[in-house]
Amino acid sequence: MADVAVRAGVSHQTVSRVLNGHPNVRAETRARVLQAIEQLGYRRNMVARALVTKHTRTLGVVSFDTTLYGPASTVYGIEQAARAAGYFVSMVSLRTIDRAGVRDALDYLAEQGVDGVVVVAPQRSAARALTDMPTGVPVVAVGAGHTGDVSVVSVEQVEGARLATRHLLDLGHETVWHISGPSDWLESEGRVQGWRAALAAAGRPAPDPLPGDWSPRSGYRAGLRLAAMPEVTAVFVGNDQMALGALRAFAERGVRVPEQISIVGFDDIPESEFFTPPLTTVRQDFGAVGRCSIEVLLRQLEAGPEWSHERHVVPPRFVVRASTAPACP
């Protein structure tokens, strides 16, 4: 910084103000300092900065199974939001989330000196693992249900499932069948709850859900069962990958979509609009989830030890495409 100050003909304090985005610097002075920084190839020493400020400008993220679209998109949204806020991200990916694994991950990140941690916790076991967890740093959980021990940011799964089911009922279908996700996932639980609530509000029977595991193969197996049941005219599927498998099963059995069966998914993965037919689905705004979780974490950092827990719910958006149609009379 001293070299930059000499090259630009300004004080060390002026260089510091430019680097920290201070508004009280004349435009021509700022331009001269930035030119000197570029000419000298100057980079701030973040280790030295952390020793002075007691902050590393690094946030930790704990997640698992980032091969799934939902967790992967959530982590991406968090990372982009953190970088936009001027923070680096240190990532810990767990094979399975349990109390011991989460504790080890939080301890590891605390040793790295992170300022705060976001835990992607879509499973019930992950939410339980955060209960009474001593961390020493602020923690925000994404998708962890209604735990009162940490701040939580999530998508309104129940409302998304209601929208999907209500759409099919409004098209004249007598009832809606459901291919569900794994029972230990809070997102799966919320989607089942919303599906049941919409059917109950309409006074319609709720068939037993067909269990899946988020994979296209499980959707395919469930789709084969549904294709053999002539009374089935509408299906709400717990995610788009399982919906893809169900579409394949219907095509193999000669069941036309949407003429004979209407189908709705959940997530709105990038490929959904290119399915045959293009898939009606529920869109989750993972970018908004990432931005909200980082905003909550930064508020906790600013508040210090007196922070209070927050709960934020991001609304879903229903996307109508060509996989749904009015029920045949």
Side-chain angles (χ1 to χ4, degrees), residues 169-241:
L169 294 175
D170 288 345
L171 289 172
H173 296 279
E174 184 62 26
T175 190
V176 178
W177 293 71
H178 181 48
I179 302 174
S180 67
S183 59
D184 62 332
W185 280 63
L186 293 162
E187 294 172 342
S188 177
E189 181 181 293
R191 294 169 199 178
V192 170
Q193 182 182 343
W195 164 72
R196 289 190 186 278
L199 291 177
R204 306 297 175 82
D208 291 335
L210 283 70
D213 60 10
W214 300 134
S215 71
R217 184 176 298 278
S218 68
Y220 174 78
R221 289 194 296 263
L224 291 176
R225 292 176 58 188
L226 294 171
M229 303 164 63
E231 69 271 24
V232 177
T233 66
V235 183
F236 164 48
V237 188
N239 76 339
D240 290 352
Q241 283 96 341

Side-chain angles (χ1 to χ4, degrees), residues 110-180:
E111 290 173 0
Q112 302 302 308
V114 299
D115 296 330
V117 179
V118 179
V119 180
V120 181
Q123 289 179 305
R124 186 165 296 282
S125 59
R128 286 196 300 264
L130 292 172
T131 303
D132 299 324
M133 182 72 71
T135 62
V137 295
V139 174
V140 173
V142 174
H146 295 273
T147 177
D149 296 303
V150 295
S151 295
V152 175
V153 177
S154 61
V155 175
E156 180 48 88
Q157 306 293 329
V158 174
E159 178 60 19
R162 279 201 194 103
L163 291 172
T165 308
R166 185 72 256 173
H167 170 74
L168 292 167
L169 294 175
D170 288 345
L171 289 172
H173 296 279
E174 184 62 26
T175 190
V176 178
W177 293 71
H178 181 48
I179 302 174
S180 67

Side-chain angles (χ1 to χ4, degrees), residues 1 40 53 62 71 97 102 139 163 181 190 212 228 246 255 271 277 303 318 327:
M1 288 181 66
L40 294 173
T53 64
V62 178
I97 289 190
V102 172
V139 174
L163 291 172
V255 178
E271 297 83 5
F318 193 63

Side-chain angles (χ1 to χ4, degrees), residues 9 21 28 61 73 78 96 100 193 220 243 245 247 274 278-279 289 299 305:
E28 57 269 29
V61 177
S73 299
I78 292 167
T96 59
Q193 182 182 343
Y220 174 78
L247 285 170
F274 301 102
L279 184 66
V289 170
R299 280 198 294 273

Side-chain angles (χ1 to χ4, degrees), residues 94 98-108 129 132-135:
L94 302 177
D98 54 22
R99 188 170 181 80
V102 172
R103 177 61 182 270
D104 288 345
L106 292 176
D107 287 346
Y108 170 79
D132 299 324
M133 182 72 71
T135 62

Side-chain angles (χ1 to χ4, degrees), residues 211-284:
D213 60 10
W214 300 134
S215 71
R217 184 176 298 278
S218 68
Y220 174 78
R221 289 194 296 263
L224 291 176
R225 292 176 58 188
L226 294 171
M229 303 164 63
E231 69 271 24
V232 177
T233 66
V235 183
F236 164 48
V237 188
N239 76 339
D240 290 352
Q241 283 96 341
M242 292 193 298
L244 174 62
L247 285 170
R248 169 68 179 272
F250 295 156
E252 287 185 358
R253 292 297 185 267
V255 178
R256 299 189 308 279
V257 177
E259 292 83 1
Q260 293 173 278
I261 290 183
S262 289
I263 182 170
V264 176
F266 207 108
D267 279 343
D268 194 25
I269 63 175
E271 297 83 5
S272 294
E273 63 179 311
F274 301 102
F275 287 1
T276 304
L279 184 66
T280 297
T281 187
V282 179
R283 177 177 299 166
Q284 302 193 78

